[in-house]
């Protein structure tokens, strides 16, 4: 939500947001309190990452709104997330684990399946880096960014627990690396893929754990969105295929 609001506030480009339901309410929430934003820049489409048909339908609608011969996708943010915090193996529930993987891993995979064709190819003419079209956006190349988490790092796993969530986010990082290898061939240096660790953000996903997080490390959604946009705007082709945290530091695989 806040990432889309930040794009509306800091750029002049069309923004496509998605929601599973309540599209009118989502649109109202996205535009609420934003002054001097042209409302016709925002398109809210129905999409449920658990239902591939809705992803395909949303992609088709985008094709109608923005024909591929005239437009390309410069900036994509894939942020589905679900967490069941298993502290021990005995707490692993099959259906919960399956839903975690369907949401956190297969969801982003299906999104790139249907929306990656909108990314530029080697033959696509991009605006110059100093173009006003790119104000507030990454200026060197198109970026496909998917939300991951530090707990998806195998190297950094010192505490254990959270079996399905950790595994689903490690898989996200593998998907991004694999997808970026595809972009090297299809787009060259004109598009890259990365994954992101936003820190602990004060949302429903992390609400159960707010009391265990130091105040200075529990971020508002607005702060996290601002920092993640700064990180993404600073990426270069040398940073492709990796996971980056909200400070701009690489999260090891």
């Amino acid at each position: 939500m806040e990432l889309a609001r930040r794009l509306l506030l800091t750029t002049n480009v069309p923004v496509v947001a998605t929601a599973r339901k309540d599209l009118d309410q989502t649109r109202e929430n996205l535009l609420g309190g934003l002054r001097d934003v042209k409302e016709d820049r925002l398109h809210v489409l129905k999409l449920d990452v658990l239902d591939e048909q809705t992803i395909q339908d949303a992609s088709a609608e985008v094709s109608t709104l923005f024909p591929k011969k005239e437009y390309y996708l410069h900036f994509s943010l894939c942020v589905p997330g679900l967490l069941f915090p298993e502290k021990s193996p005995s707490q692993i529930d099959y259906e919960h684990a399956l839903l975690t993987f369907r949401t956190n891993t297969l969801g982003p995979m299906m999104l790139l399946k249907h929306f990656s064709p909108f990314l530029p190819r080697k033959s696509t003419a991009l605006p110059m880096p100093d173009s006003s079209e790119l104000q507030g956006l990454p200026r060197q190349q198109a970026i496909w960014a998917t939300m991951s988490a530090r707990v998806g790092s195998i190297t950094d796993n010192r505490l254990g627990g959270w079996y399905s969530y950790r595994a689903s986010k490690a898989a996200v990082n593998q998907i991004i690396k694999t997808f970026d290898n595809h972009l090297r061939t299809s787009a060259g240096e004109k598009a890259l893929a990365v994954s992101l660790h936003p820190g602990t953000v004060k949302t429903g996903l992390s609400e159960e754990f707010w009391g265990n997080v130091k105040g200075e490390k529990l971020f508002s959604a607005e702060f996290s969105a601002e920092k993640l946009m700064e990180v993404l705007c600073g990426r270069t082709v040398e940073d492709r295929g990796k996971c980056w945290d909200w400070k701009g530091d690489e999260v090891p695989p």
Side-chain angles (χ1 to χ4, degrees), residues 228-243:
L228 290 177
M229 284 301 302
E230 288 177 3
V231 169
L232 290 168
C233 286
R235 293 312 92 195
T236 68
V237 290
E238 286 74 25
D239 302 326
R240 64 188 312 157
K242 301 175 182 178
C243 183

Side-chain angles (χ1 to χ4, degrees), residues 33-46:
L34 299 184
R35 297 181 179 179
D36 302 322
V37 170
K38 295 181 179 179
E39 295 186 6
D40 61 358
R41 287 174 49 212
L42 175 63
H43 306 269
V44 181
L45 309 183
K46 182 178 180 179

